[in-house]
Amino acid sequence: MIDPLRTHDPDAGYYRITAERPFNYLQRDPDHTIRVVWQALPVTCPMCGADTGLTLVLERAAQPVVEVLCPARHEWAEHLIDPGHFTAWADMRWTTPNWDMFWILEAGFGEEPLPPVDLADPKAARIVTKVLVREAKKRVRRQVRRRVRKVKKKALNVAYSPVAAIIRTAWAMQAGIPQESPDPVKKTGKQTPGPKIPSVAKYRAAYGMPAPVKGPACLVCEDQGRIVAPGVNIPCTECEGPAAAALAAAERKAARARTGGGRTPTGSKARPRREEAAAGTGAPAAGDPRPTDATTVDA
């Protein structure tokens, strides 16, 4: 006799499930003798033939058979339902699932799933549209809240950074911790503004220090063109020699003059030549005899 006041309690070994849709049990297909094939058959009331709204009850400690109660209050013991299949299916729905028994779901054991939604029905289409619109609004609100939260956090950090610096400095002074110098600013393409530092040559000229002597370009012959040693006098193969170096320098200078790199500067800042300066000021040019005190002018 099924107790109508007792509820589903799988931890105590009492299973009570009410299926709104048809409930299927598994039976081996007799047509397949070599390969095992399971058939999913619905549980029906033997007296009124009802297959929906059935209540299935199993108590492992008291009864080894699943009892069924139909909506017309007809009660019977259903021996076609395997108690192991029934308990495994109930555990998959409410408690810890048994992964080794997942094959019964693929075979079709248990309550039949909901039929697919017919979108051609205007009522179903409206319900689906409302659900999709509600989910889309939730996603938009979530993204907006996330961005607003980031902006607020950044604004608070900027607003409280002076306060945090003051508190950090006061704490360091109270604890006696020496303040660390700020890290130098790294160059990121543009030089940070600041005083220009003179070059080493400027310091050397200010202190009257002589310029360092430039060493030879060729370390093998020391710009001599030949390697001379006791019993050795051969031309150097590592450089072109002083004559070739001077000729190359002259060619480079002539090339700069041809391209305009060595022309005399013109303009307001150009220095006038000696002849032009002498003609402009009335002074004698170079080569003219300078008047002396002993020179007399005939009247």
Side-chain angles (χ1 to χ4, degrees):
M1 184 69 181
I2 298 177
D3 187 1
L5 301 178
R6 193 171 181 182
T7 60
H8 180 73
D9 189 7
D11 295 335
Y14 184 77
Y15 296 89
R16 181 189 179 98
I17 297 173
T18 300
E20 298 179 358
R21 296 177 297 277
F23 191 92
N24 298 329
Y25 65 93
L26 297 181
Q27 185 179 11
R28 291 190 58 175
D29 189 359
D31 296 338
H32 296 78
T33 57
I34 298 177
R35 185 169 59 93
V36 177
V37 177
W38 295 96
Q39 292 180 340
L41 303 176
V43 178
T44 58
C45 178
M47 286 163 278
C48 63
D51 58 350
T52 57
L54 303 179
T55 301
L56 298 93
V57 178
L58 174 64
E59 188 175 3
R60 290 183 298 183
Q63 55 184 5
V65 181
V66 178
E67 295 185 357
V68 185
L69 178 66
C70 74
R73 311 304 301 173
H74 300 148
E75 182 180 349
W76 75 96
E78 187 60 72
H79 297 272
L80 298 176
I81 301 178
D82 189 350
H85 294 175
F86 183 74
T87 56
W89 178 79
D91 291 341
M92 291 176 193
R93 295 187 59 180
W94 285 282
T95 59
T96 305
N98 185 5
W99 303 102
D100 296 334
M101 297 296 293
F102 257 82
W103 63 271
I104 63 175
L105 298 180
E106 298 179 356
F109 184 87
E111 186 178 4
E112 292 184 359
L114 290 171
V117 178
D118 186 11
L119 297 179
D121 187 5
K123 185 177 180 180
R126 285 195 299 270
I127 294 174
V128 173
T129 304
K130 288 182 180 179
V131 172
L132 295 178
V133 170
R134 185 167 60 250
E135 294 298 328
K137 288 182 178 179
K138 286 182 180 179
R139 287 195 298 269
V140 172
R141 293 194 192 99
R142 193 180 304 115
Q143 294 178 1
V144 171
R145 284 196 299 268
R146 187 183 299 113
R147 295 186 179 181
V148 170
R149 195 181 303 115
K150 288 183 179 179
V151 172
K152 287 183 177 179
K153 185 177 181 181
K154 188 174 181 180
L156 287 176
N157 292 339
V158 172
Y160 284 99
S161 57
V163 180
I166 294 173
I167 294 175
R168 194 182 303 110
T169 305
W171 180 264
M173 294 176 62
Q174 182 179 1
I177 302 174
Q179 298 183 4
E180 299 179 357
S181 59
D183 297 336
V185 180
K186 297 182 180 179
K187 294 184 179 180
T188 59
K190 292 185 179 180
Q191 187 176 4
T192 55
K196 293 184 178 180
I197 300 175
S199 61
V200 180
K202 299 286 185 179
Y203 283 104
R204 190 184 299 114
Y207 284 103
M209 299 171 58
V213 180
K214 186 178 181 181
C218 181
L219 300 179
V220 178
C221 65
E222 297 182 354
D223 295 341
Q224 298 297 326
R226 299 188 66 84
I227 302 175
V228 180
V232 178
N233 189 356
I234 58 175
C236 180
T237 59
E238 299 296 330
C239 64
E240 299 177 356
L247 182 59
E251 290 180 355
R252 289 194 297 270
K253 187 175 182 181
R256 287 196 300 270
R258 285 194 298 270
T259 57
R263 289 183 296 180
T264 304
T266 59
S268 60
K269 295 185 179 180
R271 175 180 292 182
R273 293 179 294 181
R274 295 178 61 185
E275 293 80 5
E276 297 174 358
T281 57
D288 294 343
R290 299 183 59 183
T292 59
D293 296 338
T295 305
T296 59
V297 178
D298 297 336

